């Protein structure tokens, strides 16, 4: 079938993207779903810094590629062996397919699926190869999702069916921003009622972590970012203390405000420097969690002695360290009860044709979550 999609043609084109246009919107061919796959009509897709990191070259991926890993849509057709979804079902996309058979999947850690990570790195489907093409030449899928398109063929292992009547432009945020940010709070178990927490980096993931910390009952929530507007948004979502990341006395001020530092600090900026900051804000015996994806060449500079002498924990969290098929319905339930107001993360709703301008806005820090609406 013929679809319309945004294709990344070349990695590393300089901005402004509205001028250089690294993403071209045009017609592609999409094959029918194969065994274990599903054809989905995309209803909404979010723009994320993970997409931007592919555009600017921080995370190299094969091109041409249809970007987009956060989204939601409606099932139109299913392939062989898919018996639990049918046409008309509403689904949220998950950017790591879980094979269900490798060591991490069998141990209850689907975010670490080994075949899923390998296929994502190749820009292919979990079952191998691509389903997208242009003029007879293959076009790659970002994380097996490729949601910047009117339709997508996606592995059943990358879909979570939802019964909720939540609008799909809200449900789309569950697949990355909320799953990653709030999921790191809930699933790592480090933020307890009455505790002190900090979030460094206030994009969609970081602000979702702020919402998660509020819901988890943290008494003190410290927000850190370089942009005053994002600090104001964090305060409106429940942060109790807000600090500029560029403040030379940041660590001292946070330690003073929290009586020695926070029990849990979450880094959501995707930079080694931000992670070093989060580590510095963590008190003795506390836990620092990194949920951001830094440039693979970045190096972390911390003292090993501090880890031992202060009994610190430094942990990574990918995909919220949870189980998407369990967590996404839970988060939707919290949203419906008014306890996780993720709609506040959405700052713009745009058209697919305006995607390059959207990434300019994201690069400048003028947006939290922009969602592409697909009219049908």
């Amino acid at each position: 079938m013929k679809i319309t999609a945004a294709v990344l043609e070349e990695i590393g084109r300089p901005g402004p993207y509205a001028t250089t246009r690294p993403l071209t919107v045009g017609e592609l061919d999409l094959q029918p779903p194969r065994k274990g796959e599903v054809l989905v009509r995309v209803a909404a897709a979010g723009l994320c810094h993970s997409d931007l990191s592919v555009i600017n070259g921080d995370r190299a991926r094969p091109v041409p590629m249809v970007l987009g890993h956060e989204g939601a849509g409606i099932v139109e057709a299913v392939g062989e062996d898919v018996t639990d979804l049918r046409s008309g079902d509403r689904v949220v996309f998950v950017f790591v397919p879980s094979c269900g058979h490798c060591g991490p999947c069998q141990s209850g850690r689907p975010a670490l699926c080994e075949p899923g990570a390998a296929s994502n790195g190749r820009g292919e489907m979990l079952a191998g190869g691509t389903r997208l093409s242009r003029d007879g030449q293959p076009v790659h899928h970002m994380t097996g999702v490729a949601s910047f398109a009117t339709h997508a063929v996606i592995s059943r292992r990358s879909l979570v069916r939802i019964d909720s009547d939540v609008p799909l432009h809200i449900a789309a945020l569950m697949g990355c921003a909320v799953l990653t940010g709030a999921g790191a709070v809930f699933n790592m178990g480090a933020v307890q009622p009455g505790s002190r927490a900090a979030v460094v980096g206030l994009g969609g993931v970081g602000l979702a972590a702020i919402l998660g910390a509020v819901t988890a009952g943290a008494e003190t929530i410290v927000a850190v970012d370089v942009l005053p507007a994002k600090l104001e948004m964090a305060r409106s979502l429940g942060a109790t203390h807000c600090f500029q990341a560029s403040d030379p006395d940041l660590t001292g001020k946070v330690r003073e405000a929290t009586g020695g530092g926070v029990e849990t600090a979450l880094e959501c900026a995707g930079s080694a420097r931000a992670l070093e900051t989060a580590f510095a804000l963590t008190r003795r015996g506390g836990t620092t969690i990194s949920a951001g994806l830094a440039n693979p060449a970045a190096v972390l500079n911390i003292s090993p002695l501090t880890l031992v002498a202060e009994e610190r924990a430094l942990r990574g969290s990918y995909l919220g360290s949870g189980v998407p098929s369990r967590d996404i319905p839970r988060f939707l339930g919290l949203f419906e009860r008014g306890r996780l107001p993720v709609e506040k993360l959405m700052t713009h709703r745009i058209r697919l044709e305006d995607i390059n301008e959207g990434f300019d806005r994201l690069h400048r820090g003028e947006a939290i979550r922009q969602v592409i609406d697909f009219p049908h």
Side-chain angles (χ1 to χ4, degrees):
M1 65 182 292
K2 299 292 185 181
I3 68 169
T4 302
V7 181
L8 178 66
E9 305 289 357
E10 179 186 356
I11 289 176
R13 286 188 190 176
Y17 300 132
T19 301
T20 60
R21 309 198 74 77
L23 291 156
T24 58
V25 177
E27 188 176 83
L28 299 181
D29 292 301
L30 179 64
Q31 297 177 11
R34 300 181 187 177
K35 182 178 180 179
E37 297 175 352
V38 179
L39 172 65
V40 180
R41 172 167 58 87
V42 181
L47 276 62
C48 175
H49 271 93
S50 294
D51 302 298
L52 184 58
S53 70
V54 178
I55 294 171
N56 65 23
D58 282 348
R59 297 183 64 80
R61 290 291 183 268
V63 292
M65 171 179 278
V66 175
L67 297 187
H69 62 283
E70 178 183 85
I74 299 172
V75 173
E76 289 203 342
V78 300
E80 182 185 351
D81 284 357
V82 178
T83 59
D84 58 344
L85 289 177
R86 62 184 180 181
S87 179
D89 282 348
R90 296 149 57 91
V91 289
V92 173
F93 312 152
V94 178
F95 62 86
V96 179
S98 54
C99 72
H101 305 295
C102 68
C105 284
Q106 289 188 336
S107 65
R109 304 182 73 182
L112 302 182
C113 176
E114 292 164 344
S119 63
N120 281 0
R122 295 191 301 267
E124 296 182 354
M125 301 291 292
L126 181 63
T130 69
R131 309 293 177 265
L132 293 164
S133 62
R134 181 175 55 190
D135 299 328
Q137 298 301 310
V139 175
H140 297 280
H141 306 247
M142 183 175 185
T143 65
V145 172
S147 59
F148 294 162
T150 55
H151 293 77
V153 166
I154 302 177
S155 169
R156 174 63 186 90
R157 299 287 185 170
S158 290
L159 298 172
V160 174
R161 186 174 69 86
I162 59 173
D163 295 322
S164 169
D165 290 330
V166 170
L168 288 173
H169 66 277
I170 296 293
L173 303 181
M174 301 292 166
C176 178
V178 178
L179 190 61
T180 301
V185 171
F186 297 133
N187 293 320
M188 301 298 280
V191 180
Q192 301 294 326
S195 66
R196 291 156 290 193
V199 178
V200 180
L202 302 175
V205 171
L207 289 170
I210 294 284
L211 290 176
V214 172
T215 305
E219 181 176 339
T220 300
I221 302 174
V222 175
V224 179
D225 199 273
V226 296
L227 297 176
K230 291 188 175 181
L231 293 172
E232 285 303 312
M233 177 168 280
R235 191 180 299 278
S236 74
L237 296 178
T240 59
H241 299 74
C242 296
F243 297 95
Q244 287 270 358
S246 57
D247 189 332
D249 193 28
L250 171 64
T251 301
K253 289 180 178 178
V254 171
R255 288 186 174 274
E256 180 180 0
T258 58
V262 298
E263 284 89 356
T264 308
L266 296 102
E267 176 274 314
C268 301
S271 84
R273 183 174 180 181
L275 181 51
E276 290 167 2
T277 297
F279 189 78
L281 304 183
T282 308
R283 69 188 302 110
R284 295 167 63 89
T287 300
T288 307
I289 299 168
S290 178
L293 290 172
N295 187 303
V299 177
L300 186 64
N301 182 23
I302 62 171
S303 167
L305 177 62
T306 304
L307 283 172
V308 177
E310 297 187 2
E311 292 192 0
R312 303 275 207 96
L314 177 59
R315 304 184 63 184
S317 176
Y318 192 49
L319 199 69
S321 301
V323 180
S325 59
R326 175 199 68 197
D327 293 343
I328 288 175
R330 286 181 176 179
F331 296 161
L332 283 170
L334 288 170
F335 167 77
E336 291 179 301
R337 295 192 295 275
R339 298 184 59 194
L340 201 65
V342 300
E343 78 282 359
K344 296 180 180 179
L345 304 180
M346 189 179 306
T347 54
H348 299 78
R349 296 177 70 176
I350 66 173
R351 303 178 306 162
L352 182 63
E353 291 76 11
D354 300 324
I355 192 168
N356 285 296
E357 290 83 353
F359 279 111
D360 278 329
R361 199 178 292 118
L362 185 63
H363 173 70
R364 294 192 299 263
E366 297 171 0
I368 303 301
R369 262 307 187 263
Q370 303 172 87
V371 173
I372 301 169
D373 286 317
F374 291 88
H376 291 280

